[in-house]
């Protein structure tokens, strides 16, 4: 199929359809609304389920219901809407049914603004809803990746009976780029041995997140953790750029990873031996490759569009082996490549120290710009 | 042993739409009565094999163990949304929610109203016992003026705690609703009428005639602090004046149903 100029949000919506999306439930919110609008037209046209719900609370619970029947189902929203979904997400995780959630992140907290941000990393990656659970989180940095990761998210969600997030942002969601959509796939009826749909001639089935006996709940928790370790073993994905001879490492995901790549290229032109690691799965986090890289670089710069959330995961992976620097632009601001470039140059020329909290020096630099 | 019961003499037996699991309801509680009516109806309509129930959060949280049909368990108040998700992908199946008054009329207000206004083709069995049973007897939006509960210990003061909520009257106003009625479970005559209403609700759904809801005035002897007989009396004397029984919406197509 040929490349076409397509908007990130529309690309995810159409990719989901071509991957066999059978039901969508959502609520309008900028900068995600094009997903809902595209599906509002396309889903009924294909005889598939589409409901504009009364709220994100209802939307995610509709997703929960449809997911219990074993169909391919998803919702999409942006930060404040995803906050409202946390209840349903926890129930879906607890029931171990597959569902896909697209989060086109925007500036926060609160109503914040509609500009691109990455401040829902903690919420998506480290929970958000109550209880122990372990969603898969995929972070696209381009329209093409938005397409590919949307398709992948369904496969992973269903393979592991888990939540899979596509963690995009207002920049990737709103940008237009040439990209190739996958061919239309037929809907495959899966006949899962856990799905409900009327018992027919088989035994009745129950899908619930309740384990009223704490010992049973503990067993369920341990089983889910086992599944998670399986996911962690099989599904880590990342992109490496200029890492072979790198003396300095930049880490960034999604849009900030993309901006950082431009900066790294500029620095390479100047002869600075710097490389980039861009996690595709921010959960499972590519910590093993980071641990490996930490053995051979002199400094690490983490770039994010928040106050340093993935930074924590990098710090856990690296420990006190190498100095870690942070450059973040929270609140809906996208860093310029030049900003990241000068951060890299600062890292390369400064006498780096291993500190407990790289955010302290960063905040100081931000306030005294 | 001599069998003295001949099959032709049996007038009452356990519904085949039930599993063998015994319920966790308090003695004398009318949740059990409501279950029985639903089970009999599903059996009579031959729907056991194609029904998906949606259990609520409340005393009936374990309803999924009692019916011999597929079942899911919703978050508090969200059963109508979950039922929507199921029904939209399985339009030929029978999907019903079973909800208490805290679940449906308080935390789940948005979900129930919008399921009704969308004309979601599901059936809702709504147990109104004027109290939060499961959490130990707190005030519900449906509690009566002056009713003593653990969170209105001096009696519900309408000045401070508002008025009882009449859900059926409200939902009947929704264009998407095909059948909305209130019945009571406090005596045999009313129980029979309730059964007929449940049948009509499921018929409404299976004929694709829109949203259907049967509100059932129900007892909570445990948290009302009364014996079951007095509880039924309390429904009759105290609840009926606030919650009049009746048909609040019977669409033309529903009124033409014959079964
Ligand atoms: C989000 C959430 N809030 C509160 C609760 C606690 N809770 C469990 S049951 C219940 C009240 C149920 O009352 P009702 O719907 O009237 O049903 P009943 O128990 O009387 O049958 C509450 C508040 C909960 N489980 N989830
Ligand atoms: S607490 Fe009340 S509503 Fe719940 S089972 Fe007991 S009597 Fe019934």
């Amino acid at each position: 199929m040929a490349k076409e100029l397509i908007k990130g949000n529309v690309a995810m919506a159409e990719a989901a359809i071509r991957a066999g999306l059978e039901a969508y439930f959502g609520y309008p919110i900028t900068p995600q609304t094009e997903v809902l609008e595209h599906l509002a037209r396309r889903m009924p046209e294909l005889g598939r389920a589409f409901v504009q719900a009364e709220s994100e609370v209802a939307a995610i619970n509709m997703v929960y219901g449809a997911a219990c029947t074993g169909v391919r189902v998803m919702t999409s929203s942006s930060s404040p809407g995803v906050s409202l979904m946390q209840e349903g997400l926890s129930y879906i995780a607890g029931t171990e049914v597959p569902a896909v959630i697209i989060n086109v992140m925007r500036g926060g907290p609160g109503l914040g603004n509609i500009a691109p941000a990455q401040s829902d990393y903690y919420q998506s990656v480290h929970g958000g809803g109550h209880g122990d659970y372990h969603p898969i989180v995929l972070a696209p940095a381009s329209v093409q990746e938005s397409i590919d990761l949307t398709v992948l998210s369904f496969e992973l969600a269903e393979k592991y009976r888990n939540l899979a997030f596509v963690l995009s942002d207002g920049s990737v969601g709103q940008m237009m780029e040439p990209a190739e959509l996958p061919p239309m796939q037929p809907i495959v009826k899966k006949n899962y041995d856990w799905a409900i749909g009327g018992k027919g001639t088989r035994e009745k089935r129950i899908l619930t997140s309740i384990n009223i006996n704490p010992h049973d709940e503990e067993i369920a928790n341990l089983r889910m953790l086992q599944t998670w370790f399986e996911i962690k073993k099989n599904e880590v994905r990342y992109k490496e750029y200029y890492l072979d001879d790198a003396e300095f490492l930049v880490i960034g995901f999604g849009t900030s990873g993309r901006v950082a790549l431009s900066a790294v290229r500029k620095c390479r032109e100047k002869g600075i031996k710097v490389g980039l690691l861009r996690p595709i799965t921010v959960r499972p986090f590519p910590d093993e490759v980071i641990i490996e890289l930490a053995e051979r670089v002199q400094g690490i710069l983490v770039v994010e569009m928040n106050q340093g959330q993935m930074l924590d995961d990098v710090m856990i992976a690296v420990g006190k082996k190498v100095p870690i620097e942070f450059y973040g632009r929270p609140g809906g601001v996208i860093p310029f490549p030049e900003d990241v470039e000068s951060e890299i140059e600062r890292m390369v020329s400064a006498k780096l120290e291993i500190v407990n909290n790289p955010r302290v020096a960063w905040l100081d630099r931000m306030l005294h710009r | 042993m001599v069998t003295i019961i001949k099959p032709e003499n049996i007038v009452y037996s356990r519904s085949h739409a039930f599993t063998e699991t015994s319920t966790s309801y308090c003695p004398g509680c009318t949740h059990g009565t409501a279950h029985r009516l639903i089970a009999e109806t599903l059996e009579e309509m031959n729907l056991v094999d194609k029904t998906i129930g949606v259990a609520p959060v409340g005393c009936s949280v374990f309803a999924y163990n009692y019916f011999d049909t597929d079942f899911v368990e919703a978050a508090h108040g969200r059963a109508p949304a979950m039922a929507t998700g199921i029904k939209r992908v399985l339009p030929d199946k029978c999907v019903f929610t079973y909800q208490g008054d805290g679940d449906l009329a308080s935390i789940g207000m948005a979900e129930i109203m919008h399921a009704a206004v969308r004309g979601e083709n599901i059936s809702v069995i709504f147990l109104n016992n004027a109290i939060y049973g499961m959490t130990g007897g707190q005030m519900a939006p449906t509690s009566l003026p002056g009713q003593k509960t653990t969170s209105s210990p001096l009696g519900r003061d309408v000045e401070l705690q508002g008025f009882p909520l009449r859900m059926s009257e409200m939902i009947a106003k929704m264009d998407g609703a095909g059948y909305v009625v209130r019945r009571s479970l406090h005596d045999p005559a009313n129980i029979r009428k309730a059964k007929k209403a449940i049948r009509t609700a499921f018929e409404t759904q299976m004929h694709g005639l829109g949203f259907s809801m049967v509100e059932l005035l129900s007892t909570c002897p445990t948290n009302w602090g009364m014996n079951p007989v007095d509880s039924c009396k309390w429904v009759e004397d105290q609840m009926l004046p606030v919650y009049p029984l009746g048909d609040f919406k019977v669409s033309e197509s529903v009124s033409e149903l014959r079964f």
Side-chain angles (χ1 to χ4, degrees):
Chain A
M1 222 161 263
K3 280 195 176 181
E4 57 190 292
L5 195 61
I6 186 165
K7 193 177 203 171
N9 283 342
V10 175
M12 290 189 287
E14 185 58 28
I17 285 190
R18 298 195 183 187
L21 180 70
E22 291 168 87
Y24 172 89
F25 307 95
Y27 188 84
I29 183 169
T30 310
Q32 158 279 160
T33 304
E34 294 84 359
V35 179
L36 172 125
E37 287 172 340
H38 185 79
L39 294 172
R41 187 172 47 80
R42 288 283 280 147
M43 294 294 276
E45 167 181 296
L46 293 163
R48 305 182 189 181
F50 171 93
V51 179
Q52 178 174 327
E54 59 271 30
S55 68
E56 289 85 353
V57 175
I60 194 67
N61 282 286
M62 290 174 190
V63 167
Y64 185 19
C68 288
T69 70
V71 299
R72 265 201 176 169
V73 56
M74 79 168 196
T75 184
S76 58
S77 189
S78 176
S79 312
V82 182
S83 289
L84 266 189
M85 290 185 184
Q86 295 304 320
E87 175 197 56
L89 292 171
S90 168
Y91 279 73
I92 292 171
T95 310
E96 294 172 86
V97 287
V100 166
I101 297 90
I102 292 176
N103 181 357
V104 186
M105 290 183 284
R106 59 187 246 183
L111 214 41
N113 55 48
I114 56 172
Q118 297 182 317
S119 44
D120 303 349
Y121 178 94
Y122 277 154
Q123 189 198 55
S124 321
V125 165
H126 294 302
H130 57 285
D132 279 320
Y133 66 96
H134 309 276
I136 296 161
V137 186
L138 310 167
S142 65
V143 174
Q144 187 62 57
E145 237 173 40
S146 302
I147 293 169
D148 300 343
L149 295 184
T150 300
V151 176
L152 178 66
S153 66
F154 287 109
E155 290 162 13
L156 296 182
E158 287 163 16
K159 181 171 176 195
Y160 298 102
R161 287 179 63 174
N162 200 353
L163 291 168
F165 282 83
V166 180
L167 192 62
S168 180
D169 63 58
S171 172
V172 186
Q174 293 294 325
M175 75 170 55
M176 290 188 84
E177 276 185 321
E180 190 180 334
L181 284 159
M184 190 78 161
Q185 298 295 327
I187 287 176
V188 186
K189 288 284 165 211
K190 290 147 204 122
N191 286 321
Y192 291 120
D193 61 6
W194 49 261
I196 52 101
K199 72 183 178 115
T201 50
R202 58 163 169 76
E203 294 279 291
K204 71 171 280 192
R205 288 179 190 154
I206 299 168
L207 283 172
T208 172
S209 63
I210 299 180
N211 276 301
I212 200 70
N213 179 336
H215 295 289
D216 293 340
E217 186 63 70
E218 186 180 47
I219 289 168
N221 265 265
L222 298 180
R223 188 187 60 244
M224 284 188 258
L225 186 60
Q226 236 177 341
T227 307
W228 173 248
F229 286 161
E230 186 73 18
I231 295 170
K232 194 151 169 41
K233 195 174 81 199
N234 300 337
E235 309 299 347
V236 172
R237 288 166 170 80
Y238 51 85
K239 279 246 162 89
E240 297 173 295
Y241 306 86
Y242 309 104
L243 284 178
D244 287 347
D245 62 343
E247 289 166 6
F248 292 89
L249 169 65
V250 180
I251 307 177
F253 71 96
T255 293
S256 53
R258 182 175 171 142
V259 173
L261 179 58
S262 306
V264 165
R265 288 206 170 109
K266 275 272 156 46
C267 289
R268 278 280 168 176
E269 281 168 19
K270 292 182 193 162
I272 301 172
K273 290 195 167 169
V274 60
L276 171 75
L277 182 87
R278 181 165 66 79
I280 306 278
T281 52
V282 283
R283 192 152 215 273
F285 192 63
D287 44 12
E288 278 176 26
V289 64
I290 292 175
I291 293 168
E292 234 173 78
L293 288 165
E295 297 289 341
R296 55 186 173 89
V297 297
Q298 294 160 33
I300 299 175
L301 173 68
V302 175
V303 183
E304 292 183 81
M305 282 147 59
N306 56 39
Q307 300 175 8
Q309 299 191 13
M310 181 183 70
L311 174 64
D312 278 346
D313 288 327
V314 174
M315 287 169 68
I316 290 168
V318 172
K320 293 281 166 76
K321 263 183 270 169
V322 191
I324 299 173
E325 295 281 303
F326 177 65
Y327 182 64
R329 298 306 300 261
V333 179
I334 308 181
F336 284 114
E338 297 75 45
D339 301 335
V340 181
E341 199 183 322
S342 47
E343 282 297 307
I344 296 171
E345 286 177 331
R346 191 184 54 75
M347 167 168 70
V348 170
S349 55
K351 194 178 164 320
L352 296 176
E353 277 175 61
I354 293 177
V355 295
N356 284 333
N357 186 357
R359 291 177 198 83
V360 175
W362 161 72
L363 179 60
D364 201 50
R365 287 195 296 277
M366 288 297 284
L367 296 177
H368 299 102
R369 273 178 295 172
Chain B
M1 206 167 80
V2 191
T3 309
I4 49 167
I5 302 172
K6 296 188 194 135
E8 61 269 29
N9 293 339
I10 292 176
V11 290
Y12 187 88
S13 64
R14 192 178 173 81
S15 166
H16 295 299
F18 278 137
T19 61
E20 295 300 317
T21 314
S22 48
T23 75
S24 51
Y25 300 118
C26 305
C29 170
T30 46
H31 264 303
T33 317
H35 278 31
R36 165 102 201 170
L37 301 183
I38 295 168
E40 285 177 354
T41 306
L42 293 177
E43 203 181 343
E44 284 161 19
M45 289 177 70
N46 240 330
L47 286 174
V48 179
D49 293 349
K50 57 186 302 193
T51 292
I52 300 131
V54 184
V57 174
C59 284
S60 44
V61 68
F62 291 127
Y64 57 71
N65 285 327
Y66 311 144
F67 293 94
D68 193 18
T69 66
D70 274 6
F71 240 95
V72 296
E73 164 55 36
H76 198 18
R78 318 291 178 226
M82 211 176 171
T84 298
I86 296 169
K87 187 73 181 186
R88 291 288 179 126
V89 295
L90 299 173
D92 301 330
K93 298 295 161 79
C94 169
V95 180
F96 79 95
T97 72
Y98 183 100
Q99 300 177 258
D101 45 345
D103 194 82
L104 181 141
S106 191
I107 196 166
M109 179 61 107
E111 286 75 17
I112 192 67
M113 295 310 282
H114 283 273
V117 81
R118 281 194 306 268
E120 220 52 73
N121 203 24
I122 58 172
S123 304
V124 172
I125 311 299
F126 166 36
L127 270 270
N128 178 358
N129 60 11
I131 206 158
Y132 283 27
M134 190 192 212
T135 39
Q138 297 78 27
M139 187 184 71
T142 43
S143 295
L144 305 187
Q147 186 180 338
K148 284 189 178 160
T149 71
T150 61
S151 58
S152 58
L154 304 177
R156 182 177 191 168
D157 177 352
V158 294
E159 295 286 327
L160 297 173
Q161 293 155 318
F163 295 87
L165 197 45
R166 295 186 188 90
M167 289 305 296
S168 289
E169 285 84 338
M170 225 156 72
I171 289 178
K173 296 269 190 298
M174 305 289 126
D175 289 340
Y179 184 68
V180 182
V181 301
R182 183 182 293 120
R183 300 287 185 266
S184 178
L185 299 174
H186 71 278
D187 65 22
N190 278 288
I191 289 170
R192 289 175 75 90
K193 287 181 193 153
K195 166 116 183 251
K196 182 98 194 301
I198 291 171
R199 172 77 189 248
T200 312
F202 282 117
E203 294 283 356
T204 300
Q205 177 182 173
M206 296 323 284
H207 285 86
L209 301 180
F211 180 88
S212 51
M213 182 174 97
V214 180
E215 175 175 347
L216 298 171
L217 300 185
S218 194
T219 64
C220 179
T222 300
N223 289 304
W224 291 357
M226 291 175 208
N227 67 39
V229 175
D230 290 348
S231 296
C232 288
K233 188 94 181 73
W234 197 79
V235 171
E236 191 173 4
D237 296 345
Q238 304 297 321
M239 286 183 81
L240 288 186
V242 180
Y243 298 110
L245 306 183
D247 296 358
F248 299 98
K249 175 81 170 273
V250 182
S251 72
E252 211 175 298
S253 357
V254 172
S255 69
E256 283 162 8
L257 284 175
R258 295 290 170 263
F259 48 86

